[in-house]
Amino acid sequence: MELVSSSRSVLPRCGGGGGVAAAPFRTASASSRRKGTSGFVALGCDGEGKKSVAEGTVRRRAALALLLASPAMSVAFSAHGKTKSRNPYDERRLLQQNKKIQEANRAPDDFPNFIREGFEVKVVTSDNYITRDSGLLYEDIKVGTGNSPKDGQQVIFHYVGYNESGRRIDSTYIQGSPAKIRLGNKTLVPGKHDTAGFEEGIRDMKPGGKRRIIIPPELGPPVGPSTFFSAKQFEVFDIELLAVQDCQRRTIAFYSDVVCS
């Protein structure tokens, strides 16, 4: 359907009354243009013009319905629907992008991948990882010997912390001294990491063991300027458990503390 505008028209008048006998209309079919018909409709002084306008409106609507029902328009609408329903996320492409980012951040070669699609995150790891009911994932790189720590005992360990892109955010190796925490106190790992997930990951380790744990956001640290994270995300820790110590409370006069050895 072609849109035609009438920029100028001469309007004859009815009798001596000065009424307009013809008025331009703004649409015309292609067939009417080929026949040379003008772009206006006669408005009879007796009201016949109104009938002509109504008939013209019906014809235009019928032409529009015929156009929409044509195969070409059907194909166009169906193609548009397929484009809308297509998944915009290509998992392979995102994996390749993550690998490039991790290489730039000097992440370990076997570092896990995190694919975000809207509010959902897919964790891509090797088959060696174990997933617990809490959502914590871990892989034992080396199994230690001896007894696992219990609540009230102190654990001495080294760790390296990473964010989802593989950027190192903390390391006791760089600090030059291992970390120490007592299990069961819900204290913070040096560096202000919430130990809700960290304690779960280290609790069944044995001295001399090495493990990589992946902490989901619900078990991770609080978000804020005092932490390493500005948004909820997964954390990755490489842990080396060095020793487990027994702790006892010592009281001297009005002074009391806990000694671990």
Side-chain angles (χ1 to χ4, degrees):
M1 182 172 63
E2 183 178 359
L3 298 181
V4 179
S5 62
S6 175
S7 60
R8 183 179 180 183
S9 61
V10 179
L11 306 180
R13 301 181 179 276
C14 295
V20 177
F25 60 90
R26 297 186 179 277
T27 59
S29 64
S31 60
S32 65
R33 286 175 57 84
R34 287 195 298 269
K35 294 180 181 179
T37 58
S38 60
F40 53 84
V41 171
L43 300 178
C45 297
D46 56 353
E48 293 180 357
K50 295 182 179 180
K51 181 178 180 180
S52 300
V53 171
E55 292 176 353
T57 301
V58 173
R59 286 196 297 270
R60 290 195 297 273
R61 290 179 178 177
L64 179 60
L66 180 62
L67 180 62
L68 293 176
S70 64
M73 293 298 293
S74 300
V75 172
F77 281 123
S78 62
H80 177 70
K82 291 179 181 179
T83 303
K84 293 276 289 185
S85 61
R86 185 182 302 167
N87 187 353
Y89 297 97
D90 185 349
E91 183 171 317
R92 181 176 300 178
R93 176 177 56 84
L94 291 176
L95 283 174
Q96 293 175 351
Q97 291 179 354
N98 288 350
K99 285 295 184 183
K100 292 181 180 180
I101 296 174
Q102 291 175 6
E103 290 176 0
N105 291 331
R106 298 181 180 180
D109 294 335
D110 54 347
F111 195 80
N113 271 281
F114 303 90
I115 301 178
R116 289 190 172 271
E117 296 186 4
F119 294 100
E120 297 183 358
V121 182
K122 181 179 180 180
V123 183
V124 181
T125 64
S126 65
D127 296 334
N128 299 327
Y129 281 81
I130 298 175
T131 304
R132 292 184 173 170
D133 295 338
S134 63
L136 182 81
L137 294 90
Y138 73 93
E139 176 191 15
D140 280 319
I141 301 171
K142 177 184 176 182
V143 179
T145 58
N147 297 323
S148 299
K150 301 177 181 179
D151 284 347
Q153 290 183 319
Q154 179 173 263
V155 290
I156 303 175
F157 58 94
H158 276 298
Y159 72 90
V160 182
Y162 304 90
N163 62 11
E164 290 182 2
S165 62
R167 183 173 64 87
R168 186 177 59 205
I169 55 177
D170 198 9
S171 172
T172 56
Y173 294 103
I174 295 178
Q175 295 172 8
S177 60
K180 299 179 181 180
I181 62 170
R182 290 182 61 199
L183 293 185
N185 289 345
K186 298 187 180 298
T187 56
L188 295 177
V189 177
K192 298 182 180 179
H193 299 289
D194 192 346
T195 58
F198 198 94
E199 281 193 7
E200 182 181 350
I202 202 175
R203 184 176 293 276
D204 59 346
M205 290 183 66
K206 298 178 180 180
K210 295 182 179 181
R211 172 180 290 184
R212 173 172 293 163
I213 63 174
I214 302 175
I215 302 177
E218 54 269 20
L219 299 179
V223 175
S226 61
T227 68
F228 288 101
F229 302 95
S230 59
K232 286 289 187 180
Q233 60 176 285
F234 285 79
E235 296 178 86
V236 181
F237 285 97
D238 289 340
I239 304 171
E240 180 184 4
L241 182 59
L242 302 177
V244 178
Q245 296 178 336
D246 291 324
C247 300
Q248 294 180 350
R249 178 166 295 278
R250 180 181 61 180
T251 301
I252 303 176
F254 298 100
Y255 176 78
S256 178
D257 63 354
V258 176
V259 179
C260 300
S261 61

